[in-house]
Amino acid sequence: MDKPQKRKALPYLAASGTVLFWASAFPAVKYALEYYSPGALMLFRFLIASVLLMTYCAIKKVALPKAKDLPLFILCGFLGLFVYMWAFNAGTDLVPSGVSGFIIASAPVFTLILSIAFLKEKSGILVWVGVLASFGGIIIIAATQMYGLQLNVGVWLLLGAALSASIFIILQRRLLKTYTPMQITAYPIVLGTAFMLIFTPSLIREMPQASLSANLVVVYLGVFPAAIAYLLWGYALAGVAKTVYITSFLYLSPFLASFMAFIWLGERMPPMAFVGGVVVVLGMVVTNLKKTP
């Protein structure tokens, strides 16, 4: 493979690494939640990620946000990290991690709806067919998590996390007009971690009681699915002509998460939940059909 071909392949290799790391976060979080509360876990994880990202930014001399844009960065950190991660951790604590992966995978559907509503992006009949299909898949998944006549609260928390992630993406698109992928990733993470400091007493209380394996898993979560994966994702986005070339890799994440959860935790996903997850992903594929060349 010559150098031009290698340069073209690198963004896709980066995207593959990102998806692999992000998929591994679902069973890893599920395991760590046996020892940590959702708030303490996310604080521990993102303190590590923040230190690594700030070190990288300092070495690379990545410019700080302008004062006029700081409120938007703070909002990104609050919604895209603090709210998202708490809802994600709390929800994953209540449902199988494979189910969690498929529900979180619905975030692009919410992003599309918000883009149409607030960014005035065009939509056709195919887009709405895909959206309806994805919501149908979510309903199938939710039905497998009902106990009596009550829906598992974890499903609602995860849907809230997916919605928070969608709003975060919309805000990022606005910031991308003047900032790099690294800036709109690193600084919201650091600012979001600042909100998490309210869980410091819980972290101090729980850390000595956690096993070595649990602490190593949290370190892994902070280094790989958080810091390194976001760096790889920023590189992948910057290295291709169209975002859709890379975002299609995300469709693999919930399937990988389910497989890892089975191998690592012995989790067995309800068959109908898996069917619902497939429907969610197929719906997202349909919404992107007209975007591809």
Side-chain angles (χ1 to χ4, degrees):
M1 184 181 294
D2 56 29
K3 288 185 178 180
Q5 288 179 316
K6 287 182 178 179
R7 282 196 295 269
K8 289 181 180 179
L10 285 175
Y12 298 97
L13 291 174
S16 300
T18 301
V19 169
L20 183 63
F21 287 141
W22 281 349
S24 71
F26 290 92
V29 165
K30 186 74 173 181
Y31 177 80
L33 284 169
E34 295 181 13
Y35 301 88
Y36 285 101
S37 61
L41 172 58
M42 70 181 191
L43 174 60
F44 188 1
R45 175 184 178 183
F46 282 94
L47 280 174
I48 295 169
S50 293
V51 169
L52 291 176
L53 288 170
M54 285 301 93
T55 301
Y56 177 89
C57 289
I59 292 172
K60 294 294 185 178
K61 298 180 179 180
V62 178
L64 292 170
K66 297 175 182 177
K68 66 182 180 66
D69 294 322
L70 191 57
L72 195 54
F73 273 90
I74 293 173
L75 185 60
C76 281
F78 178 73
L79 290 176
L81 197 74
F82 178 76
V83 173
Y84 169 78
M85 285 308 310
W86 185 85
F88 169 71
N89 285 352
T92 300
D93 196 25
L94 298 173
V95 304
S97 50
V99 170
S100 174
F102 278 114
I103 295 175
I104 293 297
S106 66
V109 178
F110 291 111
T111 302
L112 177 63
I113 294 173
L114 292 173
S115 297
I116 293 169
F118 296 103
L119 300 181
K120 308 302 179 184
E121 291 191 1
K122 295 181 180 180
S123 63
I125 186 65
L126 204 58
V127 167
W128 290 110
V129 167
V131 167
L132 291 174
S134 291
F135 276 116
I138 293 172
I139 291 172
I140 294 172
I141 294 171
T144 69
Q145 300 300 307
M146 291 189 71
Y147 303 99
L149 296 176
Q150 291 188 329
L151 181 63
N152 186 336
V153 68
V155 173
W156 292 113
L157 287 168
L158 289 164
L159 286 172
L163 181 59
S164 295
S166 303
I167 297 172
F168 177 51
I169 292 171
I170 298 297
L171 295 174
Q172 279 187 312
R173 286 184 182 179
R174 179 174 174 181
L175 288 172
L176 269 173
K177 295 177 181 178
T178 50
Y179 292 96
T180 66
M182 172 50 61
Q183 289 171 307
I184 66 167
T185 297
Y187 295 127
I189 283 179
V190 173
L191 291 166
T193 303
F195 286 106
M196 296 178 190
L197 292 174
I198 62 172
F199 297 112
T200 299
S202 298
L203 179 59
I204 293 173
R205 182 174 61 254
E206 295 169 17
M207 185 180 288
Q209 309 301 320
S211 68
L212 175 61
S213 62
N215 288 327
L216 289 176
V217 166
V218 179
V219 171
Y220 167 81
L221 284 167
V223 174
F224 293 96
I228 291 178
Y230 278 112
L231 286 173
L232 289 174
W233 188 245
Y235 175 81
L237 287 175
V240 294
K242 292 187 178 182
T243 304
V244 70
Y245 296 158
I246 291 298
T247 54
S248 58
F249 278 72
L250 296 177
Y251 301 150
L252 296 173
S253 183
F255 295 101
L256 289 172
S258 300
F259 177 73
M260 292 178 186
F262 174 74
I263 297 298
W264 182 3
L265 305 176
E267 282 190 355
R268 294 182 180 275
M269 182 183 294
M272 285 306 297
F274 186 80
V275 170
V278 172
V279 174
V280 170
V281 173
L282 288 177
M284 290 189 293
V285 172
V286 170
T287 63
N288 281 291
L289 286 178
K290 292 191 71 175
K291 296 180 182 180
T292 54

